[in-house]
């Protein structure tokens, strides 16, 4: 699936969320889509997600 079709599907999902659920649902779908994109991007680039979740050696 190319990026244009993927962008079309994401835009349609956001439009349906905004139309049927209101602005709050639109923001929720957009935020969760951004999180899903970030996780997918990390997994595609073979980055270990545990690197981001590990503690920094006792620093606070």
């Amino acid at each position: 699936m190319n990026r244009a079709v993927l962008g079309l599907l994401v835009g349609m999902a956001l439009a349906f969320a905004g139309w049927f659920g209101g602005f709050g649902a639109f923001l929720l779908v957009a935020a969760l889509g951004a999180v899903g994109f970030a996780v997918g991007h990390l997994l595609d680039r073979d980055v270990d997600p545990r690197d981001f979740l590990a503690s920094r050696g006792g620093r606070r």
Side-chain angles (χ1 to χ4, degrees):
M1 180 180 321
N2 63 18
R3 292 179 194 241
V5 173
L6 185 60
L8 173 69
L9 293 175
V10 169
M12 289 174 61
L14 289 172
F16 279 119
W19 182 262
F20 293 111
F23 189 67
F26 172 82
L27 290 178
L28 179 65
V29 169
L32 292 177
V35 169
F37 173 79
V39 169
H41 185 71
L42 288 174
L43 293 176
D44 279 346
R45 301 188 90 200
D46 293 328
V47 175
D48 190 9
R50 290 177 292 198
D51 292 341
F52 294 103
L53 300 176
S55 67
R56 299 284 178 178
R59 284 175 156 189
R60 289 185 186 212

